[in-house]
Amino acid sequence: MIPRSTYQRMLGWIGRITLICIVAFLILPAAVVTIAAFNDKPILSFPPQTWSWRWFARALAYDDFRHGFFNGLIVTAWSSTIALFVGAMFAFAIDRYRFPFKSLIEGILVSPLVIPHFTVGLGFLILAAQVGLSRGFAVVVACHVVLVLPFVLRSIYVSLKNLDQSYELAAASLGATPFRVLTTITVPLLLPGLVSGWLFAAILSFNEFTASLFVTSQRTQTLPVAMYNYVREFADPSMAALSVMYIAGTAALIAFATSFLGLGKVLNIEQTH
Amino acid sequence: MQAIPTIEQNEAAVRFDAVTKRFDDVVALNAVSLDVQTGEFLTLLGPSGCGKTTLLKLAAGFLGPDAGAISINGRRVNELPTYQRGIGMMFQNYALFPHMSVADNVAYGLKTRRVPKPERQQRVAEVLALVKLTGMERRMPRQLSGGQQQRVALARALVINPTVLLLDEPFSALDKSLRTSMQVELREIQRKLGLTTIFVTHDQSEALSLSDRVAVMSEGRIRQLGSPVDVYRAPTDQFVATFVGDNNKLRGRLLSVGDSDAVIELGSAQIKVPSERLAKLEKSAPVDLFVRPEQFCVVSANEPSAMTGHVVAQIYQGGHVDLQIECPGASRDRLLVRSAGDQAVVRWPMGATVGVSIQPGGCAAFPAE
Ligand SMILES: Nc1ncnc2c1ncn2[C@@H]1O[C@H](COP(=O)(O)OP(=O)(O)O)[C@@H](O)[C@H]1O
Ligand SMILES: [Mg+2]
């Protein structure tokens, strides 16, 4: 028989190697793209023979990308903020009240999880044409709200479920009106859930491509759409450079949220109380 | 014509009038009527699920009754929302706001009442002194021990000068020594402030030691309302007799019923009990006799009119000794016999054959179930 300690050490090593393999596999695409971004030649090849930063400069200077970036910010800010309010209201209603067709409404609210994005995009496109709306920001924002709402709803709903109702009852017993309870107790205690919900919505919205392809126009195209239009014409490493900046930006955002609120709370993996 | 409001003579601080509360099929409270007098410490005592918390929540306005009326200081509050009731409530898990300091927690109820800042600070300081937490103002709830959190919760409820203080099993999470000192402290503060208090517990010894009056509840009803001595000495039914304090249940026969007393035959012994619950019974009907452990007397085995048994367990408790005595002639269960002092340890060892007699007075009897 193998002594227990040797056996355990073996298990430990196998575990560690497995872990390293999984992590490597997860970061492999990002790593490949990052390396490809520094290729000096105007082709997407791997590994590069000569190195340069020039595709970063090109990506930053390219007009469509710049517009796409700022359009994306506008759409993301509006859609995730609207989704936050709508989602919070629905999460409250579902958590606190009983009403007819509750489960049906719940089902509809999370249905964008099973409906393909292109269906949602196509739907909004037809709808916008029908009511005579031009393909402006309103349509894009509305479309994104529908797409990110389930995630926001879920995030806030989980936080609400974890929120001990006795805090709110205690505040009411101390003379706080329902509005005061909401502003001084409920919202502050839900803040991590609200922030994480908003953050996920923002990241999803900013990255959304399929539905955006249908509902954006030349004037309102978001960054992923601009990137798609770019690769249809060119195949140089500026795409890869852009990807690297994308990753760095998102990582910075999450790191920021983490250090201010604690990763556990932002990712909602920890019970708040 | 407008009705002239009548002023009741002995106005209760909190009045429940035939209050019923259902949850789907469960009847949590069944036509409960209860008057809580101003300044009194009243305890709702009963096993888990009997409706104590529900009654408290109705007083607080967290729930509304399905039938009946609730009034506070003579004013009907059925439709009044919680925040207008002026109650102080202490929760089982304390429910201290985790994002506020001790001082902010305590000041919360004063801020909602728009008390100006200087007065607010002064009252917070006073109440923190009252619960012995001076110097803890800046701490966050998570930096406090369980007992300290409890005091903050109490201070937060007291600082608003509530019309009634509601406490739902506040001490159940504390260890025994801390619980006892908190009980004493709560009672002292309550007396000092003359605060009307409704206290919920399932712990009968806590109820007996703290209360002015105890309402014993079972299955959504109040079974008995009275002083701790009343419910201990003169239970009104078998449930109260079994639930409050230790008790021995013996099967006897009714010998005779008089106006105030009845005589019950138990083996060769005859025991006098109050007759009010036995009035309807025929002679020689079976009755259940309840005898407290301290009402038994252990005597030598050959004593006439004593029941014979033998000691099967000895539980030394310091100030007294609990003996478990098997007494086949009197009861299928072991008798619990309490003997003051500690002579019993030596005098009545395990396996000894002994006689058990009952001291006159203080037994309760009910028609056999
Ligand atoms: N919100 C609720 N929904 C359904 N049933 C409830 C609810 N609250 C209490 N009950 C039921 O009402 C009864 C009394 O409960 P409760 O007042 O909490 O008892 P206690 O506090 O004495 O343990 C129990 O049978 C309980 O299951
Ligand atoms: Mg309870």
mmCIF file of all heavy atoms in Angstrom, chain B residues 23 26 28 47-54, ligand 1:
data_model
loop_
_atom_site.group_PDB
_atom_site.id
_atom_site.type_symbol
_atom_site.label_atom_id
_atom_site.label_comp_id
_atom_site.label_asym_id
_atom_site.label_seq_id
_atom_site.Cartn_x
_atom_site.Cartn_y
_atom_site.Cartn_z
ATOM 1 N N PHE B 23 -52.772 31.921 8.117
ATOM 2 C CA PHE B 23 -51.851 31.843 6.985
ATOM 3 C C PHE B 23 -52.330 30.676 6.137
ATOM 4 O O PHE B 23 -52.163 29.536 6.538
ATOM 5 C CB PHE B 23 -50.414 31.591 7.448
ATOM 6 C CG PHE B 23 -49.841 32.707 8.256
ATOM 7 C CD1 PHE B 23 -49.693 32.576 9.626
ATOM 8 C CD2 PHE B 23 -49.446 33.892 7.656
ATOM 9 C CE1 PHE B 23 -49.160 33.597 10.378
ATOM 10 C CE2 PHE B 23 -48.912 34.915 8.399
ATOM 11 C CZ PHE B 23 -48.761 34.771 9.762
ATOM 12 N N VAL B 26 -53.385 27.478 7.911
ATOM 13 C CA VAL B 26 -52.968 27.480 9.311
ATOM 14 C C VAL B 26 -53.652 28.628 10.056
ATOM 15 O O VAL B 26 -53.571 29.778 9.637
ATOM 16 C CB VAL B 26 -51.434 27.655 9.415
ATOM 17 C CG1 VAL B 26 -50.993 27.594 10.865
ATOM 18 C CG2 VAL B 26 -50.729 26.615 8.585
ATOM 19 N N ALA B 28 -53.057 30.749 12.819
ATOM 20 C CA ALA B 28 -51.946 31.067 13.717
ATOM 21 C C ALA B 28 -52.468 31.651 15.029
ATOM 22 O O ALA B 28 -51.902 31.407 16.093
ATOM 23 C CB ALA B 28 -50.982 32.038 13.052
ATOM 24 N N PRO B 47 -44.997 26.843 23.320
ATOM 25 C CA PRO B 47 -44.065 26.087 22.479
ATOM 26 C C PRO B 47 -43.941 26.734 21.102
ATOM 27 O O PRO B 47 -44.770 27.553 20.712
ATOM 28 C CB PRO B 47 -44.721 24.708 22.380
ATOM 29 C CG PRO B 47 -46.164 24.942 22.654
ATOM 30 C CD PRO B 47 -46.237 26.104 23.582
ATOM 31 N N SER B 48 -42.909 26.348 20.389
ATOM 32 C CA SER B 48 -42.666 26.901 19.069
ATOM 33 C C SER B 48 -43.862 26.640 18.151
ATOM 34 O O SER B 48 -44.427 25.562 18.162
ATOM 35 C CB SER B 48 -41.397 26.247 18.516
ATOM 36 O OG SER B 48 -41.266 26.536 17.176
ATOM 37 N N GLY B 49 -44.257 27.665 17.407
ATOM 38 C CA GLY B 49 -45.361 27.517 16.465
ATOM 39 C C GLY B 49 -46.731 27.811 17.051
ATOM 40 O O GLY B 49 -47.741 27.638 16.388
ATOM 41 N N CYS B 50 -46.796 28.285 18.298
ATOM 42 C CA CYS B 50 -48.104 28.503 18.916
ATOM 43 C C CYS B 50 -48.668 29.882 18.586
ATOM 44 O O CYS B 50 -49.810 30.181 18.951
ATOM 45 C CB CYS B 50 -48.020 28.316 20.427
ATOM 46 S SG CYS B 50 -47.114 29.625 21.253
ATOM 47 N N GLY B 51 -47.895 30.740 17.927
ATOM 48 C CA GLY B 51 -48.449 32.016 17.501
ATOM 49 C C GLY B 51 -47.903 33.225 18.239
ATOM 50 O O GLY B 51 -48.396 34.333 18.055
ATOM 51 N N LYS B 52 -46.867 33.055 19.037
ATOM 52 C CA LYS B 52 -46.323 34.179 19.813
ATOM 53 C C LYS B 52 -45.793 35.281 18.907
ATOM 54 O O LYS B 52 -46.140 36.458 19.068
ATOM 55 C CB LYS B 52 -45.170 33.688 20.725
ATOM 56 C CG LYS B 52 -45.496 32.504 21.587
ATOM 57 C CD LYS B 52 -44.314 32.055 22.418
ATOM 58 C CE LYS B 52 -43.129 31.567 21.608
ATOM 59 N NZ LYS B 52 -43.276 30.244 20.986
ATOM 60 N N THR B 53 -44.934 34.893 17.966
ATOM 61 C CA THR B 53 -44.354 35.893 17.063
ATOM 62 C C THR B 53 -45.443 36.582 16.252
ATOM 63 O O THR B 53 -45.391 37.799 16.035
ATOM 64 C CB THR B 53 -43.332 35.220 16.131
ATOM 65 O OG1 THR B 53 -42.302 34.660 16.935
ATOM 66 C CG2 THR B 53 -42.730 36.213 15.163
ATOM 67 N N THR B 54 -46.416 35.816 15.827
ATOM 68 C CA THR B 54 -47.511 36.398 15.045
ATOM 69 C C THR B 54 -48.234 37.479 15.847
ATOM 70 O O THR B 54 -48.532 38.555 15.330
ATOM 71 C CB THR B 54 -48.486 35.287 14.618
ATOM 72 O OG1 THR B 54 -47.764 34.288 13.920
ATOM 73 C CG2 THR B 54 -49.582 35.837 13.734
HETATM 74 N N1 LIG C 1 -45.510 34.060 7.051
HETATM 75 C C1 LIG C 1 -46.110 32.894 7.364
HETATM 76 N N2 LIG C 1 -46.640 32.124 6.390
HETATM 77 C C2 LIG C 1 -47.252 30.958 6.685
HETATM 78 N N3 LIG C 1 -47.388 30.463 7.923
HETATM 79 C C3 LIG C 1 -46.874 31.170 8.941
HETATM 80 C C4 LIG C 1 -46.198 32.423 8.722
HETATM 81 N N4 LIG C 1 -45.795 32.910 9.917
HETATM 82 C C5 LIG C 1 -46.188 32.003 10.830
HETATM 83 N N5 LIG C 1 -46.830 30.961 10.268
HETATM 84 C C6 LIG C 1 -47.429 29.810 10.979
HETATM 85 O O1 LIG C 1 -48.214 30.310 12.035
HETATM 86 C C7 LIG C 1 -48.012 29.554 13.202
HETATM 87 C C8 LIG C 1 -47.524 30.444 14.326
HETATM 88 O O2 LIG C 1 -46.235 30.919 14.010
HETATM 89 P P1 LIG C 1 -45.394 31.854 14.976
HETATM 90 O O3 LIG C 1 -46.251 32.980 15.406
HETATM 91 O O4 LIG C 1 -44.134 32.205 14.279
HETATM 92 O O5 LIG C 1 -45.095 30.883 16.188
HETATM 93 P P2 LIG C 1 -44.084 31.074 17.416
HETATM 94 O O6 LIG C 1 -43.467 32.420 17.327
HETATM 95 O O7 LIG C 1 -44.933 30.892 18.628
HETATM 96 O O8 LIG C 1 -43.082 29.986 17.287
HETATM 97 C C9 LIG C 1 -47.050 28.442 12.834
HETATM 98 O O9 LIG C 1 -47.795 27.283 12.549
HETATM 99 C C10 LIG C 1 -46.368 28.952 11.608
HETATM 100 O O10 LIG C 1 -46.013 27.886 10.772
#
